[in-house]
């Protein structure tokens, strides 16, 4: 029993230290939104990966979550959240690519409501369980194709896409509220750029931010 307690204590201490180290690293890399950093500090990323990978959960790296998919890199989760929130608080945000649910959990602590679309049913089910376990209740999930968004509940003040699209999906532009912000990686393979697109009074403004590396936005839902 004492042995087990020590072990738990040990793991807790290690993860607290490594968690702090990750946040420090994100600060060093220029992430400056204190609210976003605080949410990353308190979100238990180790609960969003397999137990066998939990010891690597606070490295600033993407990790496999099965089905050829990855949990996004903490830097990218923070960066995209920051971009989404840069013009002020958001109430309705749609996320395309729930995956592990980690970015979903982060967003849910930063905005009023999150609408999250995922094409792989089993990933979505697991993400749902994790958010329930964390008692995060302001998220609704849709099993479907992110290229189509979620038109029934549009418009959204923010849309975030966590897989790389060959082109910006027209449906997502259509579902953006006036002043709404879309953060999306665009390109393929080695050539991918993170983009911010803002719906202006007339048309859209587009900003290219930095080179990124994401798994592709695929077609159609998958059971
Ligand atoms: N934010 C997630 C990233 C998961 S990787 C996380 O941190 O865990 C990208 C996710 O996008 C995968 O789960 C993949 O299944 C999903 N995806 C890919 N194409 C999609 C599409 N057309 N519609 C919805 N989800 C899609």
């Amino acid at each position: 029993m004492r042995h087990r307690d020590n072990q738990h204590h040990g793991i807790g201490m290690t993860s607290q230290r490594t968690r702090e180290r990750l946040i420090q690293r994100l600060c060093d890399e220029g992430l400056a939104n204190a609210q976003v950093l605080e949410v990353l500090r308190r979100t238990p990323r180790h609960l969003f990966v397999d137990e066998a990978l939990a010891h690597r959960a606070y490295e600033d790296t993407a990790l496999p979550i099965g089905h050829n998919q990855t949990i996004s890199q903490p830097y990218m989760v923070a960066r995209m959240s920051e971009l989404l929130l840069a013009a002020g608080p958001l109430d309705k945000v749609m996320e395309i690519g729930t995956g592990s649910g980690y970015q979903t959990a982060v967003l849910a602590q930063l905005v009023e409501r999150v609408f999250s679309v995922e094409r792989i049913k089993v990933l979505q089910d697991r993400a749902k369980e994790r958010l329930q376990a964390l008692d995060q209740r302001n998220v609704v999930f849709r099993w479907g194709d992110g290229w189509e968004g979620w038109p029934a509940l549009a418009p959204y003040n923010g849309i975030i896409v966590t897989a790389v699209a060959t082109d910006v999906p027209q449906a997502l532009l259509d579902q953006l509220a006036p002043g709404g912000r879309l953060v999306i990686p665009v390109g393929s393979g080695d050539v991918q750029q993170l983009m911010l697109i803002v719906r202006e009074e007339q048309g859209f403004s587009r900003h290219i931010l930095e080179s990124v590396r994401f798994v592709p936005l695929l077609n159609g839902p998958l059971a």
Side-chain angles (χ1 to χ4, degrees):
M1 194 59 200
R2 181 188 299 158
H3 176 65
R4 265 189 69 192
D5 281 351
N6 282 342
Q7 228 176 16
H8 278 281
H9 188 64
I11 289 165
M13 291 307 284
T14 308
S15 73
Q16 199 51 45
R17 258 203 324 267
T18 48
R19 281 163 88 152
E20 287 305 326
R21 209 178 297 141
L22 171 62
I23 301 306
Q24 188 54 51
R25 182 179 162 144
L26 299 179
C27 287
D28 295 346
E29 283 174 318
L31 293 163
N33 183 320
Q35 202 196 355
V36 170
L37 289 170
E38 181 50 34
V39 167
L40 260 87
R41 178 180 282 118
R42 65 172 182 237
T43 304
R45 190 169 184 254
H46 64 278
L47 300 183
F48 291 83
V49 294
D50 274 356
E51 250 178 90
L53 286 172
H55 67 288
R56 299 192 55 197
Y58 299 97
E59 291 176 19
D60 190 20
T61 178
L63 294 168
I65 54 171
H67 308 269
N68 287 322
Q69 304 305 320
T70 54
I71 181 173
S72 302
Q73 184 191 359
Y75 168 84
M76 202 43 66
V77 171
R79 179 83 173 111
M80 292 173 88
S81 304
E82 219 176 74
L83 286 166
L84 214 53
L85 290 165
L90 298 174
D91 52 357
K92 279 179 74 183
V93 171
M94 174 164 66
E95 174 189 50
I96 306 298
T98 316
S100 67
Y102 175 65
Q103 169 86 71
T104 321
V106 167
L107 281 175
Q109 297 171 77
L110 292 164
V111 306
E112 265 175 53
R113 286 175 299 165
V114 179
F115 303 87
S116 191
V117 181
E118 169 59 55
R119 69 182 282 274
I120 302 179
K121 188 82 170 73
V122 285
L123 287 181
Q124 178 179 62
D125 289 343
R126 229 176 290 152
K128 234 187 240 181
E129 284 169 16
R130 289 174 179 133
L131 282 149
Q132 263 161 20
L134 293 172
D135 208 23
Q136 196 72 54
R137 299 176 195 197
N138 56 339
V139 182
V140 279
F141 296 90
R142 173 182 158 93
W143 175 45
D145 185 355
W147 284 96
E148 291 164 17
W150 193 340
L153 301 179
Y156 305 94
N157 307 107
I159 302 178
I160 181 172
V161 183
T162 69
V164 64
T166 45
D167 302 290
V168 179
Q170 183 59 43
L172 302 187
L173 294 173
D174 293 343
Q175 290 167 35
L176 215 48
R181 301 162 72 81
L182 166 62
V183 178
I184 180 170
V186 179
S188 64
D190 288 336
V191 187
Q192 304 182 9
Q193 302 287 347
L194 186 61
M195 289 189 73
L196 167 67
I197 299 172
V198 182
R199 180 163 214 153
E200 310 288 358
E201 267 174 48
Q202 305 254 306
F204 297 88
S205 64
R206 292 157 191 266
H207 316 264
I208 294 177
L209 297 154
E210 60 196 89
S211 294
V212 290
R213 179 107 206 165
F214 279 87
V215 294
L217 189 68
L218 301 171
N219 287 303
L222 188 72

